[in-house]
Amino acid sequence: MAAPASRQVRRRARAAPRARSAEDWWWDRLAPSGSGYHLLPSDSMLLVLSEPGPARTRAQRRAVRRTPRQPTPGHAAAKPKATLRPDPAPSPVPAPTPEEGPDAGWGDRIPLEILVQIFGLLVAADGPMPFLGRAARVCRRWQEAASQPALWHTVTLSSPLAGRPAKGRVKAEKKLLASLEWLMPNRFSQLQRLTLIHWKSQVYPVLKLVGESCPRLTFLKLSGCHGVTADALVMLAKACCQLHSLDLQHSMVESTAVVSFLEEAGSRMRKLWLTYSSQTTAILGALLGSCCPQLQVLRLLNLMWLPKPLGRGVAPGPGFPSLEELCLASSTCNFVSNEVLGRLLHRSPNLRLLDLRGCARITPAGLQDLPCRELEQLHLGLYGTSDRLTLAKEGSPLLTQKWCHTLRELDLSGQGFSEKDLEQALAAFLSTPGGSHPALCSLNLRGTRVTPSTVSSVISSCPGLLYLNLESCRCLPRGLKRAYRGLEEVQWCLEQLLTSPLPS
């Protein structure tokens, strides 16, 4: 008698309505009945897509998923396994209507414009390659979206087999050039920023393709490239009328090529980077005499040149009224003088950054005469200079008194200013106009004669100081001659200076 009773209990449990689970609750919350949305679960996400036809109920969607597949012709249907106690037949479920067939796929439901915008976010974060190349292999819709020229606005082309022998490298560059002949007109028609890295033999053909197919190019960087001729730069300047930024760092470029480019496109140039050039006297002369009213950034790094005396009565050039950043830094001593610096900056009141590292002939008196009043970064560090150079021992207060209210970074490493002179210079940060705190957040005093009391005063008066370099400062106690990074380390330095005995 126990067996029939247990079967009756199980039958009543099956007939009773099933309690709603947490999954059903979230499912109805995301896409309630009649909302017109369709839920599609995948491996690691849940997609909510708009329903093209009338909305289906939860029971109808379950019926579609539970409908058994029809056996294919020529194959016998699998026989059900025999059981000792077969379950009762399930309740009948209404058959789906023809318009309620299986989903055609979520990929075809996303508009092409939306897919291009999604790809654009990924390209802006990680660049077009290799993402666009991989996405084009997913399906036809993704291939169509990845082929939009609007996504190929920033491209970096590195020379293949850069570390291989010259013969193999030239062959690989020619093979890549053949691919670029198709890519340039079909993908790079809206290219804006192009970078070529370590190209040795095919620079001119690539630049020629760029001039023919990329009229919207605004930025060009040639890093470690050889064979950059004047004809190539002039041709590119004429073909790309929107080109305003040129970066030739670490490239073998003749001075005549740069001069010719400035003559053609100097009026629209905004940024110019040059480095490691052996003949730079002509380049500096062209800059002093050329008209570049829109130039904002000028970086001439490690330029080895010997300026000729200008003589009296020579009229200054047009200058750079929009210049905001000037960098003449060098790893060795160069021969930039106060006269040359004055001719470069005599019409630059908006200068924000001035990097003169290695310029041992620049004096504080020459910097005081500059027209810029809102300088934020000043770098006068001397690295690797000869001991035979005669360095200025006075004049540092002229710098801080002029720009103490705006300076955020100050680098005086290696300078020969005396202890008293540095004390007067850094005392300018103790009292600022209006009673506000100084904006100084980085101070490099490496190798100077700064004293403990002067350093303590600067730290106390500059609460925003985040970097302090005191390496090789002979007047400081032992154990404190190092670089401090972060607010906590700088405050620890202040505590040590206040409690440590003065050096003998």
Side-chain angles (χ1 to χ4, degrees), residues 158-342:
S158 179
S159 176
L161 307 176
R164 301 294 180 85
K167 184 177 180 180
R169 182 172 60 247
V170 172
K171 185 177 180 180
E173 287 185 1
K174 290 182 178 180
K175 185 177 180 180
L176 182 57
L177 181 62
S179 302
L180 291 177
E181 292 178 355
W182 181 88
L183 286 173
M184 287 290 181
N186 293 278
R187 296 289 187 272
F188 298 167
S189 59
Q190 298 186 22
L191 184 67
Q192 299 179 7
R193 300 175 63 90
L194 175 63
T195 301
L196 300 181
I197 300 178
H198 297 300
W199 283 71
K200 305 300 181 183
S201 60
Q202 303 295 328
V203 176
Y204 181 82
V206 173
L207 295 182
K208 184 177 180 181
L209 288 174
V210 172
E212 295 174 353
S213 306
C214 308
R216 299 187 178 184
L217 187 70
T218 60
F219 173 85
L220 175 64
K221 180 178 180 179
L222 304 177
S223 179
C225 297
H226 293 180
V228 184
T229 61
D231 296 338
L233 293 180
V234 172
M235 176 270 301
L236 197 64
K238 293 180 179 180
C240 303
C241 299
Q242 301 182 18
L243 181 63
H244 58 67
S245 300
L246 180 63
D247 188 346
L248 299 177
Q249 298 187 65
H250 310 288
S251 294
M252 302 297 294
V253 185
E254 298 180 357
S255 59
T256 55
V258 180
V259 172
S260 301
F261 179 83
L262 290 175
E263 293 176 354
E264 181 65 31
S267 59
R268 64 172 184 267
M269 290 303 297
R270 298 180 184 177
K271 298 181 180 180
L272 179 62
W273 294 272
L274 293 174
T275 185
Y276 293 111
S277 182
S278 58
Q279 300 176 358
T280 56
T281 304
I283 296 176
L284 188 62
L287 286 172
L288 291 174
S290 61
C291 182
C292 302
Q294 301 184 22
L295 191 64
Q296 299 176 0
V297 177
L298 177 60
R299 296 183 182 179
L300 307 177
L301 306 178
N302 285 337
L303 296 183
M304 307 301 297
W305 54 280
L306 296 174
K308 299 180 180 179
L310 301 176
R312 297 181 179 179
V314 178
F320 312 102
S322 301
L323 192 63
E324 299 180 359
E325 178 180 340
L326 175 63
C327 181
L328 302 177
S330 175
S331 58
T332 59
C333 180
N334 57 32
F335 297 93
V336 178
S337 60
N338 292 334
E339 182 182 7
V340 175
L341 187 64

Side-chain angles (χ1 to χ4, degrees), residues 354-365:
L354 182 59
D355 191 349
L356 301 175
R357 286 174 292 182
C359 301
R361 295 191 177 186
I362 298 296
T363 62

Side-chain angles (χ1 to χ4, degrees), residues 45-74:
M45 64 184 68
L46 186 66
L47 303 177
V48 183
L49 304 177
S50 59
E51 191 70 51
R56 295 179 293 178
T57 62
R58 173 66 173 155
Q60 291 175 342
R61 289 195 295 269
R62 283 186 173 180
V64 173
R65 294 198 302 271
R66 292 179 178 178
T67 302
R69 296 183 179 179
Q70 299 295 335
T72 57

Side-chain angles (χ1 to χ4, degrees), residues 420-473:
K420 185 178 181 180
D421 195 76
L422 285 174
E423 182 180 0
Q424 296 176 358
L426 298 179
F429 296 103
L430 301 180
S431 59
T432 55
S436 59
H437 295 294
L440 189 67
C441 59
S442 176
L443 180 61
N444 191 344
L445 300 174
R446 179 180 182 273
T448 60
R449 300 178 180 179
V450 64
T451 59
S453 59
T454 303
V455 177
S456 303
S457 302
V458 171
I459 298 177
S460 302
S461 59
C462 300
L465 192 62
L466 300 177
Y467 176 78
L468 178 62
N469 194 339
L470 301 177
E471 297 177 354
S472 303
C473 293

